[in-house]
PDB file of all heavy atoms in Angstrom:
ATOM      1  N   LEU A 166       1.555  10.587   3.309  1.00 33.00           N
ATOM      2  CA  LEU A 166       1.943  11.611   4.330  1.00 33.00           C
ATOM      3  C   LEU A 166       0.972  12.646   4.375  1.00 33.00           C
ATOM      4  O   LEU A 166       0.559  13.181   3.326  1.00 33.00           O
ATOM      5  CB  LEU A 166       3.270  12.155   3.758  1.00 33.00           C
ATOM      6  CG  LEU A 166       3.785  13.519   4.536  1.00 33.00           C
ATOM      7  CD1 LEU A 166       4.155  13.185   5.961  1.00 33.00           C
ATOM      8  CD2 LEU A 166       4.993  13.993   3.825  1.00 33.00           C
ATOM      9  N   CYS A 168       0.443  16.214   6.775  1.00 34.00           N
ATOM     10  CA  CYS A 168       1.138  17.001   7.877  1.00 34.00           C
ATOM     11  C   CYS A 168       0.172  17.977   8.387  1.00 34.00           C
ATOM     12  O   CYS A 168      -0.236  18.906   7.905  1.00 34.00           O
ATOM     13  CB  CYS A 168       2.365  17.755   7.249  1.00 34.00           C
ATOM     14  SG  CYS A 168       3.288  18.508   8.596  1.00 34.00           S
ATOM     15  N   ALA A 264      11.003  18.284  12.815  1.00 87.00           N
ATOM     16  CA  ALA A 264      10.744  17.510  11.596  1.00 87.00           C
ATOM     17  C   ALA A 264      11.250  18.318  10.350  1.00 87.00           C
ATOM     18  O   ALA A 264      11.722  17.763   9.546  1.00 87.00           O
ATOM     19  CB  ALA A 264       9.173  17.245  11.494  1.00 87.00           C
ATOM     20  N   GLU A 265      10.959  19.679  10.479  1.00 87.00           N
ATOM     21  CA  GLU A 265      11.382  20.470   9.294  1.00 87.00           C
ATOM     22  C   GLU A 265      12.872  20.551   9.166  1.00 87.00           C
ATOM     23  O   GLU A 265      13.450  20.412   8.001  1.00 87.00           O
ATOM     24  CB  GLU A 265      10.799  21.863   9.516  1.00 87.00           C
ATOM     25  CG  GLU A 265      11.082  22.846   8.244  1.00 87.00           C
ATOM     26  CD  GLU A 265      10.383  24.220   8.445  1.00 87.00           C
ATOM     27  OE1 GLU A 265      10.052  24.543   9.547  1.00 87.00           O
ATOM     28  OE2 GLU A 265      10.186  24.836   7.419  1.00 87.00           O
ATOM     29  N   HIS A 266      13.718  20.774  10.225  1.00 90.00           N
ATOM     30  CA  HIS A 266      15.121  20.834  10.157  1.00 90.00           C
ATOM     31  C   HIS A 266      15.749  19.456   9.690  1.00 90.00           C
ATOM     32  O   HIS A 266      16.801  19.518   9.048  1.00 90.00           O
ATOM     33  CB  HIS A 266      15.692  21.290  11.460  1.00 90.00           C
ATOM     34  CG  HIS A 266      15.459  22.756  11.728  1.00 90.00           C
ATOM     35  ND1 HIS A 266      15.614  23.342  13.035  1.00 90.00           N
ATOM     36  CD2 HIS A 266      15.009  23.772  11.008  1.00 90.00           C
ATOM     37  CE1 HIS A 266      15.284  24.545  13.009  1.00 90.00           C
ATOM     38  NE2 HIS A 266      14.862  24.868  11.735  1.00 90.00           N
ATOM     39  N   LEU A 267      15.061  18.431  10.081  1.00 89.00           N
ATOM     40  CA  LEU A 267      15.667  17.083   9.660  1.00 89.00           C
ATOM     41  C   LEU A 267      15.272  16.731   8.352  1.00 89.00           C
ATOM     42  O   LEU A 267      15.850  15.698   7.716  1.00 89.00           O
ATOM     43  CB  LEU A 267      15.183  16.041  10.658  1.00 89.00           C
ATOM     44  CG  LEU A 267      15.735  16.076  12.086  1.00 89.00           C
ATOM     45  CD1 LEU A 267      15.060  15.125  13.011  1.00 89.00           C
ATOM     46  CD2 LEU A 267      17.256  15.838  12.100  1.00 89.00           C
ATOM     47  N   GLY A 268      14.359  17.431   7.635  1.00 87.00           N
ATOM     48  CA  GLY A 268      13.935  17.058   6.344  1.00 87.00           C
ATOM     49  C   GLY A 268      12.944  15.889   6.276  1.00 87.00           C
ATOM     50  O   GLY A 268      12.824  15.306   5.269  1.00 87.00           O
ATOM     51  N   LEU A 269      12.347  15.648   7.405  1.00 87.00           N
ATOM     52  CA  LEU A 269      11.361  14.435   7.412  1.00 87.00           C
ATOM     53  C   LEU A 269      10.116  14.688   6.511  1.00 87.00           C
ATOM     54  O   LEU A 269       9.456  13.783   6.146  1.00 87.00           O
ATOM     55  CB  LEU A 269      10.897  14.264   8.843  1.00 87.00           C
ATOM     56  CG  LEU A 269      11.956  13.787   9.886  1.00 87.00           C
ATOM     57  CD1 LEU A 269      11.335  13.835  11.284  1.00 87.00           C
ATOM     58  CD2 LEU A 269      12.498  12.421   9.521  1.00 87.00           C
ATOM     59  N   LEU A 270       9.821  16.012   6.253  1.00 80.00           N
ATOM     60  CA  LEU A 270       8.732  16.221   5.351  1.00 80.00           C
ATOM     61  C   LEU A 270       8.978  15.791   3.969  1.00 80.00           C
ATOM     62  O   LEU A 270       8.053  15.552   3.123  1.00 80.00           O
ATOM     63  CB  LEU A 270       8.270  17.807   5.391  1.00 80.00           C
ATOM     64  CG  LEU A 270       8.179  18.334   6.781  1.00 80.00           C
ATOM     65  CD1 LEU A 270       7.733  19.867   6.579  1.00 80.00           C
ATOM     66  CD2 LEU A 270       7.012  17.603   7.493  1.00 80.00           C
ATOM     67  N   ASP A 271      10.235  15.673   3.516  1.00 84.00           N
ATOM     68  CA  ASP A 271      10.632  15.277   2.228  1.00 84.00           C
ATOM     69  C   ASP A 271      11.177  13.808   2.180  1.00 84.00           C
ATOM     70  O   ASP A 271      11.106  13.252   1.085  1.00 84.00           O
ATOM     71  CB  ASP A 271      11.770  16.204   1.646  1.00 84.00           C
ATOM     72  CG  ASP A 271      11.261  17.625   1.598  1.00 84.00           C
ATOM     73  OD1 ASP A 271      10.131  17.900   1.139  1.00 84.00           O
ATOM     74  OD2 ASP A 271      12.058  18.464   2.033  1.00 84.00           O
ATOM     75  N   ALA A 272      11.643  13.254   3.202  1.00 85.00           N
ATOM     76  CA  ALA A 272      12.252  11.929   3.307  1.00 85.00           C
ATOM     77  C   ALA A 272      11.606  11.290   4.439  1.00 85.00           C
ATOM     78  O   ALA A 272      12.258  11.202   5.598  1.00 85.00           O
ATOM     79  CB  ALA A 272      13.738  12.000   3.352  1.00 85.00           C
ATOM     80  N   ALA A 273      10.500  10.714   4.316  1.00 87.00           N
ATOM     81  CA  ALA A 273       9.716   9.973   5.468  1.00 87.00           C
ATOM     82  C   ALA A 273      10.406   8.621   5.757  1.00 87.00           C
ATOM     83  O   ALA A 273      11.063   8.051   4.890  1.00 87.00           O
ATOM     84  CB  ALA A 273       8.308   9.685   4.980  1.00 87.00           C
ATOM     85  N   PRO A 274      10.314   8.193   7.000  1.00 93.00           N
ATOM     86  CA  PRO A 274      10.918   6.864   7.309  1.00 93.00           C
ATOM     87  C   PRO A 274      10.111   5.780   6.606  1.00 93.00           C
ATOM     88  O   PRO A 274       8.944   5.904   6.105  1.00 93.00           O
ATOM     89  CB  PRO A 274      10.606   6.864   8.852  1.00 93.00           C
ATOM     90  CG  PRO A 274      10.328   8.222   9.294  1.00 93.00           C
ATOM     91  CD  PRO A 274       9.775   8.923   8.079  1.00 93.00           C
ATOM     92  N   TRP A 297       1.011   9.999   9.177  1.00 83.00           N
ATOM     93  CA  TRP A 297       1.493  10.650  10.315  1.00 83.00           C
ATOM     94  C   TRP A 297       1.068  12.188  10.348  1.00 83.00           C
ATOM     95  O   TRP A 297       0.919  12.818   9.328  1.00 83.00           O
ATOM     96  CB  TRP A 297       3.026  10.602  10.497  1.00 83.00           C
ATOM     97  CG  TRP A 297       3.901  11.039   9.397  1.00 83.00           C
ATOM     98  CD1 TRP A 297       4.009  10.299   8.204  1.00 83.00           C
ATOM     99  CD2 TRP A 297       4.670  12.034   9.358  1.00 83.00           C
ATOM    100  NE1 TRP A 297       4.997  10.951   7.447  1.00 83.00           N
ATOM    101  CE2 TRP A 297       5.363  12.059   7.993  1.00 83.00           C
ATOM    102  CE3 TRP A 297       4.991  13.129  10.251  1.00 83.00           C
ATOM    103  CZ2 TRP A 297       6.299  13.073   7.642  1.00 83.00           C
ATOM    104  CZ3 TRP A 297       5.937  14.109   9.831  1.00 83.00           C
ATOM    105  CH2 TRP A 297       6.601  14.068   8.585  1.00 83.00           C
ATOM    106  N   PRO A 332      16.171   7.631   7.053  1.00 93.00           N
ATOM    107  CA  PRO A 332      17.310   8.150   6.318  1.00 93.00           C
ATOM    108  C   PRO A 332      17.887   9.522   6.818  1.00 93.00           C
ATOM    109  O   PRO A 332      19.130   9.830   6.867  1.00 93.00           O
ATOM    110  CB  PRO A 332      16.782   8.314   4.901  1.00 93.00           C
ATOM    111  CG  PRO A 332      15.615   7.399   4.808  1.00 93.00           C
ATOM    112  CD  PRO A 332      15.063   7.399   6.245  1.00 93.00           C
ATOM    113  N   ALA A 333      17.018  10.357   7.335  1.00 91.00           N
ATOM    114  CA  ALA A 333      17.389  11.680   7.784  1.00 91.00           C
ATOM    115  C   ALA A 333      18.338  11.654   8.941  1.00 91.00           C
ATOM    116  O   ALA A 333      19.065  12.635   9.099  1.00 91.00           O
ATOM    117  CB  ALA A 333      16.163  12.552   8.132  1.00 91.00           C
TER     118      ALA A 333
END
Side-chain angles (χ1 to χ4, degrees):
L166 167 67
C168 188
E265 184 174 22
H266 286 167
L267 289 174
L269 294 172
L270 306 183
D271 300 316
W297 55 286

